[in-house]
Amino acid sequence: MNLKKSYTEKYGYERVVTDRNSPLVYVETDMLKLADGQSYSIDEPGKEFVLVVLYGKCEVKGADFAFAEVGSRESVFDGAAETAYIGKDTPFTVTAKGGDVKIAVCKAPAEHYYKPYQIKAKDVVMKTFGKGAFVREVAFTFPETGEANHLYIGEFWVEDGKWGSYPPHKHDVDNLPTEGALDEIYYYEFDKPQGFGFQAVYTPENDINEVYKVQNGDMVVIPKGYHPFTVAPGYKNYCLWIMAGKKRGLLSSSEECHKWVVNN
């Protein structure tokens, strides 16, 4: 089972993780890069969207809404992303403003319509998770408090040989409030072009036991199981995590045998 997908940055629209090339049920991710003044229109009935502006700025418009400027950073290492939510059955157009813009187009099947809105970087909650060799900064970029059917999105930054998603955790069983079933996609970038890390995905039953070397533009889909990540020493990593399911939120359970490291 190959859970790794790769995206090479270039102008235009590219479908990277789809309902045809992955085992995920609730989430897909496309990538969009536009030059200053260029536009791209999207019309996919039955789906909701969250546009995560990785760098640059854009205008997002539909028949009944317009966000004049979404995006506030020059790279993924300049704090939290800005986002725009577009509800079910709502065609929209994205136009780059003031230079290139790169966007992760996150989408999910939707049952209900919620009106479009945007989240500014200044309103994103940032937290520090872990300690020592597994400390990382986390941004709750599109939180469960915002109206949506299934999408729940954030970012984390790991550097210099440290670990993220640690202790290993999973979210593949509906056992609330302990754990919820949520699909997930990780998208990676690094502060240097040769930067890299390793992503594991494994289940208690061992029907999935995969490890991938990941570099700029790679994605790993996580249908189930534990999924710890580590970046190589000397490099800084950015990871966009895109989750989706019937219940939204950080509804995960840690691998029992590794819980001790939190209190050590």
Side-chain angles (χ1 to χ4, degrees), residues 3-5 17 22-24 184-186 201 219-223:
L3 302 175
K4 178 180 168 182
K5 313 296 177 186
V17 177
S22 90
L24 302 184
E184 188 163 26
I185 299 169
Y186 277 1
V201 184
M219 296 188 191
V220 170
V221 302
I222 304 161

Side-chain angles (χ1 to χ4, degrees), residues 7 12 28 40 80 100 113 120 122 166 193 201 241 243 249:
Y7 165 74
E28 302 173 274
Y40 189 86
D100 289 356
Y113 168 80
K120 294 287 190 179
K122 64 180 180 64
Y166 197 88
V201 184
W241 48 269
M243 298 173 71

Side-chain angles (χ1 to χ4, degrees), residues 116-238:
Y117 59 94
Q118 69 178 117
I119 299 177
K120 294 287 190 179
K122 64 180 180 64
D123 297 319
V124 173
V125 174
M126 303 280 292
K127 293 185 178 182
T128 300
F129 277 27
K131 63 180 182 178
F134 58 100
V135 69
R136 66 274 194 194
E137 295 300 312
V138 179
F140 293 88
T141 314
F142 186 77
E144 74 275 21
T145 52
E147 288 190 318
N149 289 271
H150 300 297
L151 290 168
Y152 172 60
I153 298 169
E155 303 162 287
F156 66 72
W157 294 262
V158 182
E159 55 187 306
D160 200 22
K162 293 183 172 62
W163 288 73
S165 302
Y166 197 88
H169 70 269
K170 69 181 185 71
H171 36 76
D172 55 23
V173 177
D174 274 323
N175 183 28
L176 298 176
T178 304
E179 183 178 346
L182 292 136
D183 289 345
E184 188 163 26
I185 299 169
Y186 277 1
Y187 165 77
Y188 315 88
E189 292 194 17
F190 296 83
D191 63 339
K192 295 179 175 59
Q194 73 273 26
F196 69 98
F198 289 97
Q199 178 68 60
V201 184
Y202 60 92
T203 63
E205 302 80 17
N206 210 39
D207 57 332
I208 299 176
N209 190 356
E210 302 288 330
V211 178
Y212 301 99
K213 179 185 178 183
V214 292
Q215 297 178 274
N216 277 327
D218 285 340
M219 296 188 191
V220 170
V221 302
I222 304 161
K224 61 179 181 176
Y226 301 105
H227 41 278
F229 165 83
T230 186
V231 64
Y235 298 100
K236 185 172 183 177
N237 163 260
Y238 163 83

Side-chain angles (χ1 to χ4, degrees), residues 30 41 45 71 111-112 185 192 262:
D30 305 332
S41 296
E111 297 78 35
H112 307 291
I185 299 169
K192 295 179 175 59
V262 176

